[in-house]
Amino acid sequence: TPFSIRYMFEPVAGKSRALNLAVTQAKGDIFLFTDDDVRFPREWLVDMCMPLIHGDGSVVVGGCRLASHLLREWMTRYHRCFLASTEYLSDSDPSEFAGVNMACLREVFSKVPEFDCELGGKGSPKGEDSLFPLQLKQAGFIFVPRTNVCVEHHLLESRLAYQSWIRAAVSGGRASAYILH
């Protein structure tokens, strides 16, 4: 590949800490964020980076859909969105993003220096993907919608179990309270 790949280890558990370490160690001017349980469309890198290369904005908001084998009859849009589906986002003016598919310029970290470690850490509520875009919007960065560039989310089926939904609801409530505070 034309990219250098380097493995790093963050000894303190938590997604926010891992993201912050990656941001401080990365050499490039464009950052792409995703998760380990997604599959990408063929032209994902190009489609997500071109708006940044052309100067259309500072943040690119991609889409995400659940893998078809994970969809259940009982799921509403709320359930799917709770599992990172971005079908709720506006195609013209997305207000937020899911961290499974977003890109940004290095410059955004000059005004919003890191992901909040009170969210997205071991034992802490999830929500780093919710707070960060709010901070970027407040800092005045322009979001470019690319919600049609969809990654496919292949989460563990255990996340569909009742107890997993209860844990996720409690975590989501705690994250919302933290973000609103």
Side-chain angles (χ1 to χ4, degrees), residues 4 10 13 15 29 46 50 56 78 119 138 158 161 167 169 175:
S4 62
E10 168 55 58
K15 183 177 178 181
D29 291 324
V46 171
M50 278 311 197
D56 298 333
Y78 174 81
L119 299 170
Q138 187 174 19
S158 62
R167 284 190 301 275

Side-chain angles (χ1 to χ4, degrees), residues 48-102:
M48 292 297 288
C49 292
M50 278 311 197
L52 300 173
I53 292 168
H54 288 248
D56 298 333
S58 301
V59 181
V60 177
V61 178
C64 179
R65 297 293 185 270
L66 289 180
S68 60
H69 74 277
L70 296 168
L71 296 173
R72 303 294 188 265
E73 286 185 25
W74 52 263
M75 284 184 176
T76 64
R77 187 173 97 163
Y78 174 81
H79 293 106
R80 294 186 302 274
C81 294
F82 212 71
L83 297 169
S85 177
T86 58
E87 60 196 85
Y88 65 96
L89 288 179
S90 162
D91 289 332
S92 59
D93 185 24
S95 57
E96 56 183 290
F97 54 73
V100 299
N101 192 12
M102 73 81 97

Side-chain angles (χ1 to χ4, degrees), residues 9-165:
F9 177 74
E10 168 55 58
V12 181
K15 183 177 178 181
S16 292
R17 292 182 188 284
L19 291 171
N20 290 338
L21 174 64
V23 167
T24 64
Q25 298 300 308
K27 305 283 186 221
D29 291 324
I30 295 177
F31 293 79
L32 282 108
F33 295 89
T34 190
D35 282 359
D36 63 350
D37 58 359
V38 300
R39 295 187 185 149
F40 309 95
R42 186 170 194 77
E43 298 296 321
W44 179 70
L45 284 172
V46 171
D47 291 342
M48 292 297 288
C49 292
M50 278 311 197
L52 300 173
I53 292 168
H54 288 248
D56 298 333
S58 301
V59 181
V60 177
V61 178
C64 179
R65 297 293 185 270
L66 289 180
S68 60
H69 74 277
L70 296 168
L71 296 173
R72 303 294 188 265
E73 286 185 25
W74 52 263
M75 284 184 176
T76 64
R77 187 173 97 163
Y78 174 81
H79 293 106
R80 294 186 302 274
C81 294
F82 212 71
L83 297 169
S85 177
T86 58
E87 60 196 85
Y88 65 96
L89 288 179
S90 162
D91 289 332
S92 59
D93 185 24
S95 57
E96 56 183 290
F97 54 73
V100 299
N101 192 12
M102 73 81 97
C104 67
L105 294 173
R106 175 181 291 281
E107 72 184 35
V108 305
F109 296 102
S110 66
K111 290 187 179 177
V112 183
E114 63 182 15
F115 290 86
D116 191 322
C117 291
E118 293 296 320
L119 299 170
K122 185 174 176 129
S124 67
K126 306 298 182 224
E128 69 285 343
D129 296 354
S130 298
L131 180 57
F132 191 64
L134 292 173
Q135 293 170 316
L136 293 177
K137 278 278 189 184
Q138 187 174 19
F141 291 108
I142 296 171
F143 284 34
V144 178
R146 287 296 181 267
T147 53
N148 61 327
V149 180
C150 272
V151 296
E152 190 175 67
H153 200 186
H154 288 261
L155 52 96
L156 295 174
E157 285 195 47
S158 62
R159 288 186 55 193
L160 304 179
Y162 178 78
Q163 286 303 317
S164 182
W165 283 101

